[in-house]
Amino acid sequence: MPTTPAPRTSARVTVTRFAPSPTGRLHLGHAYSAILAHDFARARDGKFLLRIEDIDGTRSRPEHIETIRDDLAWLGLAWDSAVIHQSQRLPAYAAALDQLRGMGLLYRCYCTRAEIAAASLSAPHGAEPLYPGTCRGRSDEPDRLYCWRLDMAAAVARAGALTWQDHGRAIPADPLATGDVVLARKDAPASYHLAVTIDDAWQSVTDVVRGRDLFAATHVHRLLQALLGLPTPHYHHHYLLTGPDGVRLAKRHNAPTLAALREAGVEGRKIAAELRAGRLPNHPAST
Ligand code: GLU
């Protein structure tokens, strides 16, 4: 007698990720973000993934990857599935670039940083200058290095009005405010925007838990999802930890690294408990 197949459940498995760039040591702000993403998944019986965003070959260091693993283990955070390294995923980014190029949405940009800064005097203090579109419509120049930029106005016209969810609230996507972003760099075959969008979809990430410093980037990611036919996760941008002076930990030159705390004999699980309770751990090594 044939056996009846088990009924299929359509329950959506929650998948979150922590996606550090191994360009330096992690600090308490990273720990906070990793804990929130980890706990979000665990509370829903979901999966928590670790993705190493090491496409920046000049700044990424293998020793930082090792330290990241040690830091997470020290905090008591375990990840599911194999760790993904973006440096191993370059063909996937190249295929997406081809797709966008085929849609006529990319152009070569030969500008140097100094040229862009000089042409974008209106950039608010500290902000990346908005690219003024100098190379849009420029003819190809053989033997010169270039990056690929997204023609944002054309991309937005093609995708139409979009929204995404942050903490369950619908946010109208406003990628125009970011200008013609770089999707493949002169020295790297993909930019952060492209790689993160493709990998969140490829890893079936349902919920992106990350700091508010990446809120603006989400407008671009939502647009890329629409152009490339990828699903849109739910976003949960969290507040950033600041020191007693109100300055973001990431911006403080003396913010303690997790490795320094670990080496000073501090217990990672206690640090994690304090962060979960919303307290910035106060330890001699962290001042
Ligand atoms: N790799 C990025 C960073 O370290 C974070 C990427 C993300 O969470 O979307 O800032």
Side-chain angles (χ1 to χ4, degrees):
M1 204 173 120
T3 49
T4 318
R8 283 187 174 217
T9 57
S10 58
R12 169 176 172 278
V13 177
T14 296
V15 181
T16 66
R17 64 6 175 230
F18 178 54
S21 306
T23 53
R25 293 191 152 191
L26 302 187
H27 54 70
L28 288 167
H30 292 109
Y32 184 57
S33 205
I35 289 166
L36 290 181
H38 168 274
D39 291 2
F40 189 99
R42 293 285 173 260
R44 292 160 181 80
D45 224 0
K47 288 186 169 193
F48 169 65
L49 308 179
L50 173 60
R51 183 170 74 225
I52 303 295
E53 303 213 320
D54 57 349
I55 40 174
D56 187 338
T58 52
R59 294 173 61 226
S60 296
R61 296 264 180 278
E63 63 267 27
H64 292 316
I65 300 179
E66 210 42 55
T67 309
I68 288 168
R69 288 170 165 267
D70 292 347
D71 289 341
L72 294 185
W74 172 74
L75 288 165
L77 305 182
W79 55 90
D80 303 299
S81 313
V83 177
I84 297 304
H85 294 77
Q86 288 193 324
S87 56
Q88 311 284 309
R89 300 257 311 132
L90 305 185
Y93 312 142
L97 269 186
D98 275 349
Q99 200 177 331
L100 295 169
R101 224 179 347 248
M103 294 160 85
L105 298 177
L106 302 186
Y107 65 89
R108 290 181 174 85
C109 171
Y110 301 91
C111 296
T112 61
R113 272 178 185 273
E115 283 166 348
I116 296 169
S120 321
L121 297 176
S122 58
H125 182 67
E128 271 288 301
L130 264 199
Y131 182 63
T134 318
C135 289
R136 211 184 297 125
R138 185 163 167 176
S139 41
D140 294 354
E141 299 186 15
D143 305 326
R144 284 194 62 193
L145 286 177
Y146 56 84
C147 65
W148 287 101
R149 286 187 183 272
L150 183 66
D151 182 337
M152 192 55 92
V156 166
R158 177 152 183 152
L162 300 167
T163 58
W164 48 280
Q165 301 261 330
D166 193 63
H167 291 284
R169 201 163 56 91
I171 309 286
D174 180 20
L176 278 174
T178 319
D180 291 357
V181 289
V182 172
L183 292 191
R185 295 173 23 182
K186 288 177 185 170
D187 57 348
S191 72
Y192 159 68
H193 292 304
L194 187 67
V196 83
T197 303
I198 291 171
D199 285 346
D200 281 340
W202 183 64
Q203 295 190 280
S204 304
V205 171
T206 58
D207 293 85
V208 173
V209 180
R210 62 182 175 193
R212 280 198 70 86
D213 51 332
L214 291 169
F215 186 92
T218 309
H219 295 299
V220 178
H221 303 170
R222 177 66 189 95
L223 174 66
L224 290 175
Q225 287 152 8
L227 297 172
L228 295 167
L230 302 174
T232 304
H234 290 149
Y235 291 87
H236 311 266
H237 290 96
H238 60 76
Y239 285 100
L240 303 175
L241 289 189
T242 54
D245 52 2
V247 177
R248 263 180 64 192
L249 285 192
K251 301 276 182 200
R252 285 163 63 101
H253 64 276
N254 62 347
T257 66
L258 301 184
L261 293 170
R262 196 166 71 240
E263 281 152 19
V266 177
E267 257 187 70
R269 284 170 194 267
K270 281 198 183 148
I271 295 278
E274 289 195 45
L275 289 171
R276 283 187 174 102
R279 284 192 296 271
L280 188 60
N282 185 15
H283 184 273
S286 71
T287 52

